[in-house]
Amino acid sequence: MQLRYSFRLYPTVGQQEALTKAFGCARVVFNDAPRARRDARENNLPYLSDRELSQRLTEAKKTPERAWLAEVSSVVLQQALADLNTAYRNFFNSAAGERKGAKVAPPTFRSRKDNQQTVRFTRNARFTITASRKLRLPKIGEVPVRWSRELPSEPSSVTVIKDAAGRYFASFVLQTEDQLLPAVESEVGIDLGLSAFAVLSNGKVIESPKFLRHAEHKWRKLQKSLSRKKKGSKNRNKARVKVARAHATVSNTRKDWAHKQSTIIIRENQAVYVEDLCVKGLARTRLAKSVHDAGWGLFTTMLQEKAARRGRHFGKIDRFFPSSQLCSVCGVIDGKKPLHVRAWTCRCGATHDRDLNAAKNILAAGQADRPTPVELVSDSTSVERPAVKQEPAGSAA
């Protein structure tokens, strides 16, 4: 499995200038290619292939107008073209219906004002980690790194990132082996919400940290200060960096919290089931700020990735499954209930907490949909056969 390991970089002033030059050259190469293809289309010329774009880049470095492209590593420029070609392939596959998920737009031009600037170095660039634990990059030098942990294997590439807050990071891509956890018997269903971040079918409740809500007062003051600064001034840029750092703090805190909670759940359970929520749709409602603050998509993605690495099972339940309407005791669908109804009593006499009942139903639905090994009479080998999900009793009522 391929993983990314990110570490903070602390380049010197000279190295920052060299990185800025690399960012700019990669951006120019990325923007030149769509223009060349657009000009070819307007002049009724054949579509420029990836190889032809690469050849044009080599020729451009020999011209006086683009001679400064040779001042940075050629790998950085080639990787910028590779990113563009990947963006075009994703767009074409999406338009042809060969790519799952939301429709992908065609690649747009990059700007020096983008929130994030990146360059990538592959093995061809011969980047190395020195004996003094610094990252040596071609035509940039040895950049100090704050190592928070050891790399488990040799990285295949490294991406240098500068974020909106002016911080630098090195993101290493490397191949690792799955680290399987000992098998356990417990399985859990998770109902995600806003009043409580998650309610587990075993009765555990994870309270919502509400990082954004707690930071709003500070954000408001910083944003007001930014709005009062003159556009283009140095003071405005300083205020902009303060706002970006405040946003980065909330984002990093939320991500760290989600990592810890997802790790605990994966370690304690052999199988984890969640609802396939339409986060984009919920983010268009009046609860948009709370939905974004919760970070359900980030959390479920972490659960899925960690389950794959640790040998656990992860399943998603259809978003239209009536988990909040179904009685987990008798299976009767009791109808829709407004959000303010947090507890209800079924016809069978069972009293349910809304979220806990939904988590139990999610667990039952996930276990019913999960393929189960069935032993064949004529053969000792087992085959995977999906279990048939029974209709809840009294659903026609």
Side-chain angles (χ1 to χ4, degrees):
M1 177 180 288
Q2 278 193 342
L3 294 179
R4 282 190 178 274
Y5 283 70
S6 296
F7 304 92
R8 183 78 180 270
L9 294 180
Y10 292 91
T12 62
V13 175
Q15 291 170 345
Q16 291 180 21
E17 294 177 355
L19 285 171
T20 301
K21 185 181 295 184
F23 294 144
C25 291
R27 184 173 60 248
V28 168
V29 170
F30 186 94
N31 292 340
D32 280 349
R35 291 194 188 98
R37 284 178 170 168
R38 182 189 60 191
D39 294 341
R41 183 177 67 253
E42 292 176 352
N43 295 324
N44 296 323
L45 297 176
Y47 180 82
L48 294 177
S49 65
D50 298 350
R51 178 180 295 182
E52 290 173 330
L53 290 178
S54 180
Q55 293 174 350
R56 289 197 173 199
L57 171 61
T58 304
E59 296 171 358
K61 290 195 289 187
K62 300 177 183 179
T63 62
E65 295 80 7
R66 290 287 190 266
W68 39 268
L69 290 176
E71 298 177 6
V72 302
S73 172
S74 60
V75 174
V76 168
L77 308 181
Q78 291 296 336
Q79 290 303 307
L81 276 183
D83 290 341
L84 177 72
N85 297 331
T86 300
Y88 269 112
R89 281 194 294 272
N90 292 338
F91 167 64
F92 291 141
N93 292 337
S94 178
E98 300 175 0
R99 179 184 171 89
K100 295 182 180 180
K103 290 294 183 180
V104 178
T108 57
F109 293 116
R110 291 180 177 178
S111 170
R112 69 178 65 186
K113 297 181 180 180
D114 289 342
N115 291 333
Q116 187 169 283
Q117 302 288 339
T118 63
V119 289
R120 185 166 63 252
F121 299 87
T122 60
R123 272 293 170 201
N124 296 335
R126 297 181 181 179
F127 70 90
T128 57
I129 299 173
T130 65
S132 59
R133 307 294 292 161
K134 293 183 178 181
L135 176 61
R136 180 182 295 157
L137 299 173
K139 297 191 177 182
I140 293 174
E142 298 182 0
V143 185
V145 185
R146 178 170 291 179
W147 300 99
S148 57
R149 52 183 170 173
E150 295 295 327
L151 294 176
S153 62
E154 200 71 21
S156 60
S157 68
V158 58
T159 303
V160 180
I161 305 169
K162 181 184 179 183
D163 65 5
R167 303 175 302 173
Y168 292 84
F169 296 90
S171 179
F172 296 92
V173 175
L174 43 87
Q175 194 76 23
T176 61
E177 296 182 357
D178 295 341
Q179 300 176 352
L180 305 183
L181 292 171
V184 294
E185 295 182 358
S186 61
E187 299 185 359
V188 69
I190 304 176
D191 179 66
L192 300 174
L194 295 178
S195 57
F197 176 78
V199 176
L200 280 59
S201 57
N202 56 16
K204 181 179 178 181
V205 178
I206 302 176
E207 297 297 336
S208 180
K210 299 181 180 179
F211 297 111
L212 188 149
R213 295 290 184 180
H214 294 159
E216 273 187 321
H217 180 67
K218 182 178 180 180
W219 281 11
R220 189 178 297 110
K221 291 175 63 178
L222 293 175
Q223 196 66 46
K224 282 184 178 180
S225 177
L226 173 63
S227 65
R228 295 189 182 108
K229 302 296 187 293
K230 183 179 179 180
K231 291 186 177 181
S233 65
K234 291 184 178 180
N235 285 336
R236 183 178 178 84
N237 186 57
K238 292 178 183 178
R240 181 197 61 78
V241 171
K242 288 182 180 180
V243 172
R245 286 178 178 173
H247 281 268
T249 299
V250 172
S251 176
N252 293 341
T253 308
R254 182 187 295 114
K255 188 179 297 184
D256 178 71
W257 181 85
H259 268 298
K260 292 176 180 177
Q261 296 297 330
S262 58
T263 298
I264 292 173
I265 293 175
I266 292 298
R267 284 178 178 174
E268 294 179 350
N269 300 279
Q270 186 65 30
V272 179
Y273 305 99
V274 298
E275 278 186 302
D276 184 18
L277 297 174
C278 181
V279 179
K280 286 186 177 180
L282 293 171
R284 298 191 190 102
T285 65
R286 59 186 179 86
L287 300 174
K289 185 179 290 187
S290 298
V291 171
H292 285 299
D293 191 16
W296 293 329
L298 174 69
F299 180 72
T300 55
T301 300
M302 289 183 179
L303 284 176
Q304 186 172 5
E305 293 175 351
K306 292 179 181 182
R309 291 178 55 199
R310 303 299 185 180
R312 302 305 202 205
H313 177 76
F314 177 84
K316 282 188 176 182
I317 309 304
D318 186 81
R319 65 186 59 171
F320 299 108
F321 176 71
S323 58
S324 298
Q325 307 173 28
L326 187 67
C327 175
S328 58
V329 176
C330 67
V332 171
I333 296 181
D334 200 45
K336 293 184 179 181
K337 301 167 183 62
L339 289 176
H340 70 269
V341 177
R342 310 313 303 171
W344 56 282
T345 302
C346 181
R347 306 171 195 174
C348 65
T351 301
H352 299 292
D353 175 83
R354 180 192 184 105
D355 298 332
L356 179 59
N357 177 70
K360 291 179 179 179
N361 289 328
I362 290 171
L363 173 62
Q367 291 174 335
D369 287 338
R370 181 179 177 182
T372 55
V374 179
E375 294 293 335
L376 298 178
V377 177
S378 60
D379 194 353
S380 59
T381 59
S382 62
V383 296
E384 296 286 328
R385 188 178 69 186
V388 179
K389 182 175 162 184
Q390 297 181 351
E391 291 296 327
S395 59

